[in-house]
Amino acid sequence: MGMIYTTEGVSTSTITATGDVTSVPARVLSMYIIGEATAGSVVLKDSSGGATLATINTPAGATLTQNIDFGSEGLNFKVKPTATQTNIASVFFVIG
């Protein structure tokens, strides 16, 4: 079995409905999206009324998945990352 390495300060969060990814400022490093039968989207904002930092559209197909990597610096949310989900089963976030 290989070793698993983690980086200090990196955590995860899973949401199944529109809401806060975390309650504090953070960088979203990556996302793993599980879609639904109808095409959908995930919109990432810096708080519920803040600026939109990313919109990810998903194809139609129950249980189709997408892995989105934002690079080593990630997307920087100065207030808190909030996700609006449309036709999405769940989103797993890696945050730092």
Side-chain angles (χ1 to χ4, degrees):
M1 172 188 268
M3 298 197 62
I4 298 173
Y5 295 94
T6 58
T7 302
E8 186 176 336
V10 174
S11 61
T12 62
S13 174
T14 300
I15 62 173
T16 57
T18 293
D20 296 339
V21 175
T22 183
S23 61
V24 297
R27 291 183 180 269
V28 172
L29 304 173
S30 65
M31 315 167 39
Y32 181 76
I33 304 167
I34 300 175
E36 291 185 345
T38 305
S41 66
V42 178
V43 178
L44 298 176
K45 292 187 173 197
D46 195 1
S47 76
S48 62
T52 298
L53 274 68
T55 299
I56 297 97
N57 294 310
T58 62
T63 70
L64 283 180
T65 63
Q66 285 183 296
N67 188 39
I68 310 295
D69 183 11
F70 295 111
S72 62
E73 294 297 316
L75 293 179
N76 187 23
F77 295 82
K78 296 179 187 222
V79 179
K80 62 182 173 182
T82 300
T84 301
Q85 297 179 204
T86 304
N87 298 324
I88 300 296
S90 68
V91 184
F92 172 82
F93 293 89
V94 177
I95 52 180

